[in-house]
């Protein structure tokens, strides 16, 4: 999977001082790619038993969430941390 585009999230963040970016991928997210994101750090939740399995990775500075099989996922973070988090996510998916 490759990240083919980064765009400002269509779903605005309500938290003060946060921005969100949707990362569009060239194919749907696999379970392996989702679990590889654990290495970014933080609290990891993956509910694969649901009809539409989803994941959420969060810490004090960011939230990363998405759905298995979707060709995008969202990264929300404090404005000053967003680029750092995006770089970490991209490294995990290579």
């Amino acid at each position: 999977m490759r990240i083919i585009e980064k765009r400002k999230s269509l779903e605005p963040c309500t938290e003060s001082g946060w921005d969100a970016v949707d990362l569009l991928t060239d194919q749907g997210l696999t379970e392996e790619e989702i679990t590889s994101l654990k290495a970014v750090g933080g609290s990891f939740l993956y509910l694969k038993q649901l009809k539409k399995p989803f994941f959420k990775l969060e810490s004090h500075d960011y939230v990363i969430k998405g759905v298995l099989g979707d060709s995008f996922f969202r990264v929300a973070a404090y404005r000053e941390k967003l680029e750092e988090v995006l770089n970490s996510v991209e490294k995990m998916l290579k």
Side-chain angles (χ1 to χ4, degrees), residues 8 14 20-21 32 52 57-58 60 66 70 78 84 91:
K8 188 170 176 80
T14 57
V21 173
E32 181 181 341
K52 288 188 80 171
L57 178 67
E58 63 184 327
H60 297 291
D70 280 357
Y78 283 115
E84 178 184 328
K91 284 179 187 175

Side-chain angles (χ1 to χ4, degrees), residues 47-91:
L47 297 174
K48 61 183 176 181
Q49 71 275 20
L50 299 177
K51 188 174 182 178
K52 288 188 80 171
F54 74 91
F55 73 93
K56 183 176 179 182
L57 178 67
E58 63 184 327
S59 83
H60 297 291
D61 296 330
Y62 60 84
V63 175
I64 302 168
K65 62 183 182 176
V67 176
L68 177 69
D70 280 357
S71 57
F72 76 95
F73 60 101
R74 179 164 295 120
V75 176
Y78 283 115
R79 286 183 189 108
E80 62 273 4
K81 294 282 190 174
L82 186 58
E83 281 304 314
E84 178 184 328
V85 174
L86 290 171
N87 289 337
S88 293
V89 167
E90 288 182 282
K91 284 179 187 175

Side-chain angles (χ1 to χ4, degrees), residues 5-19:
E5 184 180 346
K6 297 178 195 175
R7 68 176 181 207
K8 188 170 176 80
S9 180
L10 300 175
E11 185 178 302
C13 282
T14 57
E15 295 88 359
S16 178
W18 284 55
D19 281 335

